Amino acid sequence: MPTPAPRLFVSLVALVGLAVSGCGLEAERVVTDDPLVSTFSIVAVDTTTGEIGVAVQSKFPNVRFMVPTVQAGVGAVATQSFARLAYGPEGIALMRQGATAEEALRISMRNDPNPAVRQVGMVDAHGNAATFTGADAFEWRGGRVGGSDAVAEAGVVAVGQGYAAQGNILVSQATVDAIAETFEATSGTLAQRLTAALVAGGRAGGDKRGEQSAALVVHRQGAGYDGSDVVVDISVYDHPTPLAELERLVALNDLYFTDSDPADMVEVTPAIARELQEIWIERDFYDGPADGEVDAGFQKILTDYMGWENYDLRIDEVADVDLAAGETLRIDREVLEDIRSVFREGRYR
């Protein structure tokens, strides 16, 4: 393929608020007004838990807006490389109607006037995955699907199971290999596996031009805050190290938007109770004594404080303890450590 001529990016104009205009291309290429989203991403599903999602990093601002589309119980889509945003809603609509990821991708491609410059990954809730990289996408470009060690050939829809990883304008194939291999080797929630895979892709080379934004979106029916389907929805709009920032935000999401693990619950001893009371007094939340008494009054103040500090999904394990029946009051170790660090570092001021 001939070496592409330099592109001139003139301005950002309306494409639901964001698009690229004035892209000069070589004569061999079809001119397109679609935004160049040079990116690496992974779409994946956990058919055991029902979680489905997309992780993506790009040398492009606000990649969350451009690349991922997810619907719980249906599927996930990543559209990149002169991104045609319609692949997202079209793919989801087709999968909702019963199409497999491959069928949805092929049908949606029929509506694309220039598929040769696109890169798309899709996965459906049943575990079918597909990826496509156009022959005119910028090098290095390619993809991997679950169940195969081969790199998807340019211009061909590759199909597999569980996930599809893809990238363009990459340092090398090592990026998609690292994404695929790390995803397969990592345990934990889908969000944790997607994050680990994306970070591994960055460490293996990533985008030739560097880093700028990242996003992680994971859905599961009824598993999010207040019964929503959104388990994780994180966007790093513009950052010098977006993958490191994504890791930090995923840890925050786990703290504030997931339930406690019973294995992480520790007894509230008199020493811990006194420590918490001293923090409450210093923060003007409590005006009683720091006596370390673990009783119903202490339990009520602790649950109120956890709500005040936004540990909403971790409250039930504390509030539901029946002290009168002789049960032991426990608190999530992660919550306790966060309370301590927020106080120690003065992050509440």
Side-chain angles (χ1 to χ4, degrees):
M1 184 181 72
T3 302
R7 296 171 184 272
L8 176 62
F9 293 95
V10 179
S11 64
L12 294 179
V13 295
L15 176 57
V16 195
L18 183 64
V20 173
S21 67
C23 297
L25 302 180
E26 278 192 317
E28 291 89 339
R29 292 179 180 273
V30 177
V31 174
T32 175
D33 288 331
D34 297 320
L36 173 60
V37 187
S38 53
T39 299
F40 54 97
S41 66
I42 175 170
V43 297
V45 63
D46 184 330
T47 55
T48 301
T49 65
E51 291 179 325
I52 192 162
V54 181
V56 55
Q57 191 271 316
S58 183
K59 183 64 173 70
F60 192 93
N62 194 19
V63 75
R64 168 66 181 91
F65 168 74
M66 292 286 185
V67 173
T69 305
V70 180
Q71 185 169 346
V74 177
V77 179
T79 175
Q80 55 206 50
S81 178
F82 291 99
R84 176 178 173 268
L85 272 62
Y87 274 109
E90 286 178 5
I92 294 296
L94 288 162
M95 288 186 278
R96 189 187 305 115
Q97 294 165 13
T100 65
E102 178 189 3
E103 291 167 341
L105 177 53
R106 290 186 183 279
I107 293 169
S108 193
M109 286 173 65
R110 295 173 196 165
N111 298 324
D112 188 348
N114 193 19
V117 299
R118 314 295 187 201
Q119 189 169 60
V120 187
M122 294 191 186
V123 65
D124 62 48
H126 303 289
N128 304 296
T131 188
F132 171 79
T133 299
D136 285 346
F138 284 127
E139 295 276 11
W140 189 94
R141 74 278 198 267
R144 291 270 303 269
V145 290
S148 173
D149 293 333
V151 173
E153 184 179 346
V156 176
V157 174
V159 297
Q161 288 294 312
Y163 71 89
Q166 47 279 315
N168 62 93
I169 314 189
L170 302 182
V171 172
S172 71
Q173 176 185 327
T175 294
V176 292
D177 286 342
I179 293 171
E181 291 162 9
T182 301
F183 182 78
E184 292 181 1
T186 302
S187 59
T189 66
L190 183 63
Q192 291 167 340
R193 296 175 68 197
L194 288 172
T195 303
L198 200 69
V199 170
R203 288 174 178 161
D207 192 316
K208 284 181 180 178
R209 304 167 310 160
E211 303 177 63
Q212 187 166 5
S213 67
L216 174 67
V217 183
V218 177
H219 287 190
R220 188 176 78 195
Q221 290 178 319
Y225 191 94
D226 198 29
S228 77
D229 293 341
V230 180
V231 178
V232 184
D233 195 330
I234 294 172
S235 175
V236 181
Y237 191 108
D238 178 58
H239 199 278
T241 55
L243 291 175
E245 179 66 359
L246 182 67
E247 286 186 294
R248 185 185 74 83
L249 295 175
V250 168
L252 277 182
N253 186 88
D254 287 347
L255 176 64
Y256 291 110
F257 295 104
T258 63
D259 293 324
S260 293
D261 183 341
D264 287 338
M265 302 298 290
V266 297
E267 180 182 354
V268 179
T269 63
I272 290 175
R274 186 176 300 107
E275 177 187 7
L276 290 171
Q277 289 168 332
E278 289 170 351
I279 290 173
W280 299 340
I281 291 168
E282 181 66 23
R283 294 196 58 183
D284 198 26
F285 183 81
Y286 166 75
D287 60 3
D291 57 11
E293 185 73 23
V294 183
D295 55 13
F298 175 90
Q299 181 183 24
K300 175 63 167 61
I301 296 169
L302 177 57
T303 57
D304 286 349
Y305 184 75
M306 289 176 67
W308 196 53
E309 287 293 273
N310 303 316
Y311 307 114
D312 299 26
L313 299 187
R314 311 283 183 129
I315 290 175
D316 286 350
E317 289 81 2
V318 176
D320 292 347
V321 171
D322 189 346
L323 292 175
E327 294 180 0
T328 300
L329 189 65
R330 297 180 184 276
I331 187 172
D332 189 299
R333 189 191 313 272
E334 289 184 352
V335 170
L336 179 59
E337 289 306 314
D338 195 59
I339 290 172
R340 286 167 168 165
S341 64
V342 166
F343 179 70
R344 183 174 58 249
E345 297 167 16
R347 287 189 275 127
Y348 58 91
R349 297 186 186 279

